């Protein structure tokens, strides 16, 4: 066996199989990482669903040690960088684990590309797991699978309260719903601000449901700067500001809602991840962050840069200098920027950084 293949084997063993055979949590900043959301965080759940929203082929994963896994980028995601910071294996996609006899005690990923907060968002692309369905699967996991690892319900509750939950959702309620008037009538029924409030009102009880299932440390990321992505903006235009304003209504309401949940739900810590302003700043001032191209996708995409990567075509040679991987999603470099900001920078994740959250 070559040194490269041996390394890959050991990496996969440590990431996926070691957590399955361990029945005790290790001394890490948090015992587990649970991930919910959309394609920004999906690590392979859509591979198992009847949908065109898939990324289980090259050039996706070109810079990832496991290759193309279903991540919608060239390498690691925010969730992966968070796992590394916590000293945990990458949270595997839930749908890849359901036929196994056990699940890892170090966390799972329930995120599903093209879905959102509203059940209908993304439905034109095929099956995906909207947020309520993801929480259903988490509930089944903590009721039927995980308790066997713990000696008492108190220890299990303590484990859940110390685990980190990260969520990134809502962009598809715009991209695959509100901004698709041919398929959905939401933009005809709701003006931008009432629609944003509709999403906030739908999201709040879902987050409270996670709390009632035992979650206490929850990081909820804003919707990013959708007006800056290649699929939306025109050539020569940095960002379409009216599209950014649309999601800003949601982001503004999100901050107030998370503060209210932290105040009303005893022992909870809801953290807001400022993905919008940081992503916008990087898109409009790329050199500030070591990027040289914030206009074009690194991979060759369908529809002249406005869609998913065309299978098996070679991407640009320096992906770490590009903001966008395909017509919708950022490169590993931008995932790293947001993750490291949340971990260390109190202006990115508020009211506390992830580093502080794990010690609370």
């Amino acid at each position: 066996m070559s040194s490269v293949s041996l390394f890959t084997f050991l990496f996969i063993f440590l990431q996926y199989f070691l957590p399955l055979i361990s029945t005790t949590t290790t001394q890490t900043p948090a015992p587990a990482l649970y991930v919910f959301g959309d394609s920004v965080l999906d690590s392979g759940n859509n591979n198992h669903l009847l949908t065109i929203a898939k990324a289980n082929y090259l050039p996706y994963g070109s810079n990832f040690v496991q290759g193309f896994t279903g991540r919608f980028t060239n390498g690691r995601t925010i969730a992966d960088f968070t796992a590394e910071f916590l000293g945990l294996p990458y949270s595997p996609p839930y749908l890849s684990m359901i036929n196994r006899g056990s699940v890892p005690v170090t966390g799972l990923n329930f995120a599903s590309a093209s879905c959102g907060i509203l059940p209908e968002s993304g439905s034109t692309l095929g099956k995906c797991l909207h947020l309520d369905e993801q929480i259903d699967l988490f509930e089944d996991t903590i009721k039927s699978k995980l308790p066997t690892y713990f000696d008492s319900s108190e220890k299990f509750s303590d484990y859940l309260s110390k685990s980190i939950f990260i969520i990134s959702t809502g962009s598809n309620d715009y991209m695959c719903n509100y901004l698709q008037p041919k398929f959905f009538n939401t933009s005809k029924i709701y003006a931008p601000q009432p629609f944003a409030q509709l999403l906030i009102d739908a999201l709040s009880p879902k987050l409270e449901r996670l709390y009632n299932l035992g979650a206490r440390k929850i990081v909820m990321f804003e919707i990013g700067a959708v007006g800056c992505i290649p699929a939306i903006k025109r050539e020569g235009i940095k960002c379409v500001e009216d599209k950014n304003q649309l999601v800003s209504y949601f982001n503004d309401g999100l901050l107030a809602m998370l503060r209210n949940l932290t105040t009303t739900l005893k022992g909870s810590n809801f953290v807001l991840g400022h993905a919008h302003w940081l992503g916008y700043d990087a898109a409009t001032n790329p050199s500030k962050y070591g990027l040289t191209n914030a206009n074009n996708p690194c991979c060759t995409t369908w529809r002249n840069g406005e869609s998913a990567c065309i299978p098996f075509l070679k991407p640009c040679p320096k992906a770490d200098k590009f903001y966008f991987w395909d017509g919708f999603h950022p490169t590993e470099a931008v995932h790293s920027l947001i993750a490291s900001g949340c971990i260390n920078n109190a202006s990115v994740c508020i009211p506390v950084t992830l580093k502080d959250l794990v010690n609370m």
Side-chain angles (χ1 to χ4, degrees):
M1 182 180 291
S2 69
S3 59
V4 174
S5 60
L6 177 59
F7 172 80
T8 302
F9 169 79
L10 289 173
F11 181 89
I12 294 173
F13 176 82
L14 291 172
Q15 286 289 320
Y16 287 97
F17 294 102
L18 188 58
L20 292 176
I21 62 178
S22 174
T23 58
T24 60
T25 57
T26 57
Q27 293 300 312
T28 59
L33 174 65
Y34 289 98
V35 182
F36 302 82
D38 53 31
S39 56
V40 173
L41 298 179
D42 189 349
S43 61
N45 282 306
N46 272 33
N47 297 352
H48 307 275
L49 299 174
L50 188 60
T51 174
I52 62 173
K54 295 179 186 288
N56 56 343
Y57 59 88
L58 286 172
Y60 291 102
S62 294
N63 305 107
F64 192 58
V65 67
Q66 298 172 35
F68 51 93
T69 59
R71 287 165 169 81
F72 285 75
T73 185
N74 60 307
R76 292 164 289 180
T77 67
I78 294 170
D80 298 325
F81 286 110
T82 302
E84 290 178 0
F85 164 69
L86 296 173
L88 297 171
Y90 301 151
S91 302
Y94 173 84
L95 293 182
S96 70
M97 311 297 293
I98 55 176
N99 293 325
R100 301 184 182 185
S102 59
V103 295
V105 75
T106 50
L108 286 164
N109 186 317
F110 299 91
S112 178
S114 79
C115 258
I117 299 166
L118 302 178
E120 63 270 23
S121 297
S123 57
T124 56
L125 300 177
K127 174 60 182 173
C128 60
L129 303 173
H130 58 75
L131 188 56
D132 258 333
E133 290 177 310
Q134 294 177 33
I135 298 173
D136 287 342
L137 296 176
F138 173 69
E139 181 173 10
D140 178 69
T141 300
I142 66 168
K143 288 184 175 180
S144 64
K145 298 179 176 68
L146 281 178
T148 58
Y149 291 120
F150 298 88
D151 297 334
S152 66
S153 59
E154 290 78 13
K155 289 183 179 180
F156 187 37
S157 295
D158 183 63
Y159 155 85
L160 289 173
S161 70
K162 292 178 179 177
S163 296
I164 299 296
F165 293 73
I166 65 171
I167 306 169
S168 178
T169 189
S171 63
N172 289 320
D173 295 292
Y174 288 93
M175 299 292 295
C176 299
N177 187 329
Y178 195 76
L179 295 175
Q180 298 292 331
K182 290 183 179 180
F183 303 104
F184 300 95
N185 62 0
T186 45
S187 61
K188 301 171 185 175
I189 299 173
Y190 299 99
Q193 288 172 292
F195 181 70
Q197 190 60 51
L198 173 73
L199 295 180
I200 293 294
D201 292 342
L203 177 61
S204 182
K206 302 181 198 312
L207 298 182
E208 186 169 353
R209 185 181 169 201
L210 277 176
Y211 171 87
N212 290 332
L213 291 172
R216 293 295 182 269
K217 300 179 179 182
I218 300 174
V219 180
M220 174 77 206
F221 286 96
E222 292 176 328
I223 299 176
V226 299
C228 302
I229 65 175
I232 292 290
K233 66 183 180 182
R234 299 182 303 276
E235 187 174 353
I237 302 295
K238 283 189 175 182
C239 298
V240 181
E241 297 302 346
D242 64 326
K243 298 300 188 296
N244 284 332
Q245 182 59 58
L246 274 180
V247 300
S248 290
Y249 294 131
F250 171 85
N251 291 336
D252 292 343
L254 181 61
L255 175 59
M257 184 261 281
L258 294 178
R259 285 175 172 169
N260 180 63
L261 288 176
T262 300
T263 300
T264 57
L265 300 178
K266 183 180 179 181
S268 69
N269 289 283
F270 287 88
V271 174
L272 175 68
H274 274 311
H276 186 96
W277 78 258
L278 182 57
Y280 179 84
D281 195 39
T284 53
N285 301 287
S287 60
K288 180 179 175 181
Y289 300 93
L291 305 173
T292 58
N293 191 317
N295 295 313
N296 310 110
C298 177
C299 77
T300 303
T301 79
W302 304 105
R303 292 170 45 198
N304 193 31
E306 297 181 359
S307 189
C309 298
I310 298 175
F312 309 120
L313 295 185
K314 286 187 177 182
C316 67
K318 295 183 178 180
D320 60 333
K321 297 298 181 182
F322 274 64
Y323 186 110
F324 296 104
W325 175 246
D326 61 13
F328 298 95
H329 304 100
T331 59
E332 180 186 74
V334 177
H335 279 278
S336 176
L337 172 68
I338 295 172
S340 62
C342 186
I343 291 167
N344 299 297
N345 191 333
S347 65
V348 177
C349 273
I350 61 171
V352 296
T353 65
L354 183 57
K355 184 180 292 184
D356 292 330
L357 181 65
V358 297
N359 294 318
M360 296 177 72

